Amino acid sequence: MFGDRVRCHTEMTGPSGWILHAAMAGAAGALSGACGKLSVSGDRTDIVAIVGRALGILLNVLATAVMWRFYLKALGGKSASTPVVQAAVNGFNFAAAAVLGFVFFGETVNAIWCVGAGFVIAGLVLLSAPAQPPAS
């Protein structure tokens, strides 16, 4: 019964576990932004809109707390440095925000966004690549 939990926790905290935590932090950060955008959009002032806004703000706070939890877990891993974790979280957040923006708000992804995403991916690859010892 507890063996599965222990095994799952061990896998998530292994050498590459920080990547999963960084992805979860990025996704939660994007969800937080989407909830915040939903909670302040619209001009309605009836009770349904007010309750919806309050719920959006509550979900924003919860998603932000989840984001910080996984961000700190990713930083706690011994396999990656702080700049690498930060870049990974930002990359995952960037991608998740684009997907959520497309799905919930009908936002489009244009060529400039794709170029920016390419730069983010290139930066992630450069930062996460193992350091090469200097040639002697």
Side-chain angles (χ1 to χ4, degrees), residues 9-22 68-86 89:
H9 180 71
T10 303
E11 289 169 4
M12 287 182 63
T13 57
S16 60
W18 71 270
I19 296 171
L20 180 59
H21 289 126
W68 275 106
R69 173 180 164 78
F70 285 112
Y71 177 68
L72 293 173
K73 283 177 119 2
L75 284 175
K78 304 295 183 210
S79 306
S81 65
T82 300
V84 171
V85 170
Q86 181 64 46
V89 169

